[in-house]
Amino acid sequence: MQKKYKTVGESRVTISELMLPSHSNFNGKIHGGYVLSLLDQIAFACASKHSGAYCVTASVDTVDFLKPIEIGELVTMKASVNYTGHSSMVIGIRVEAENIQTGAKKHCNSSYFTMVAKDAKGKSVDIPGLILKNDNDIRRFVKSIERRKVKLSKNEEFHETDFTKEEYLHILEDQKVQIQTGS
């Protein structure tokens, strides 16, 4: 029988991986696409651990690349469930890179993935709620609610069918843009 509620700690996942030259871009830094792939994997692991079900990525709400990751650094990703709905959950992920020669660590990335639990037929399934044990758990849950409100308001704000160029031209006045119409 599945629990009705779980603590944040029960679903926390941490992975570490050494960054190899094969993971780098043309600038010699670790490719952002590779980091995104790792983020998706740990989000899946954390969400599946919490829900006890197969989970899919519904959205990548935020990915902030703060500092580049170098070849040879040990990257550690820490994921936890920040928010739970009926079948969805927000997974917060922190990425740190460590220079294994000096021991210096840097915060490289923060990300929020929305994951949805599914059954074998692809239908959404109920997931356990969260037990919030400290101020940090409460802060992360509330911040997830706030980010969700902003996301919903953005989705409502700008529909293609509602758009009239004249209504929005003033927004472009101070931008580095040229408008060319016709052929």
Side-chain angles (χ1 to χ4, degrees):
M1 184 171 153
Q2 187 178 31
K3 292 181 175 182
K4 284 191 174 216
Y5 293 89
K6 288 184 175 182
T7 65
V8 173
E10 286 180 87
S11 304
R12 191 168 283 130
V13 176
T14 302
I15 61 170
S16 294
E17 184 173 329
L18 184 64
M19 294 296 106
L20 303 174
S22 61
H23 304 141
S24 67
N25 60 24
F26 295 113
N27 199 25
K29 309 297 182 193
I30 300 306
H31 195 284
Y34 183 72
V35 175
L36 284 170
S37 172
L38 293 175
L39 291 168
D40 194 48
Q41 289 175 42
I42 196 169
F44 169 83
C46 183
S48 295
K49 188 174 179 181
H50 181 80
S51 66
Y54 178 78
C55 293
V56 297
T57 306
S59 70
V60 180
D61 300 324
T62 305
V63 180
D64 293 323
F65 292 99
L66 306 172
K67 293 185 179 152
I69 300 171
E70 307 290 336
I71 296 169
E73 290 184 324
L74 182 65
V75 168
T76 300
M77 298 187 175
K78 301 171 185 176
S80 62
V81 179
N82 289 2
Y83 169 85
T84 53
H86 295 287
S87 62
S88 67
M89 60 215 106
V90 174
I91 309 301
I93 308 165
R94 179 181 173 94
V95 179
E96 294 177 346
E98 178 181 357
N99 180 312
I100 56 177
Q101 294 174 323
T102 66
K105 293 181 182 178
K106 59 186 175 184
H107 178 202
C108 297
N109 186 301
S110 289
S111 304
Y112 300 98
F113 279 57
T114 299
M115 308 295 287
V116 178
K118 300 284 187 175
D119 66 13
K121 295 179 182 178
K123 298 266 187 192
S124 297
V125 296
D126 284 340
I127 62 169
L130 271 182
I131 298 169
L132 307 176
K133 294 180 94 174
N134 56 48
D135 288 352
N136 208 28
D137 292 349
I138 295 167
R139 179 185 59 80
R140 288 177 174 163
F141 197 93
V142 170
K143 292 294 275 181
S144 292
I145 292 169
E146 293 301 317
R147 272 192 303 278
R148 187 166 189 245
K149 286 179 186 175
V150 168
K151 184 178 174 182
L152 290 173
S153 72
K154 282 182 182 178
N155 289 345
E156 293 171 4
E157 170 187 325
F158 214 67
H159 293 286
E160 205 175 299
T161 56
D162 299 337
F163 181 79
T164 60
K165 179 177 65 177
E166 291 73 23
E167 187 177 352
Y168 295 99
L169 280 176
H170 69 279
I171 295 172
L172 302 176
E173 288 174 3
D174 294 329
Q175 303 300 314
K176 190 174 182 178
V177 64
Q178 284 184 351
I179 299 173
Q180 293 182 349
T181 56
S183 22

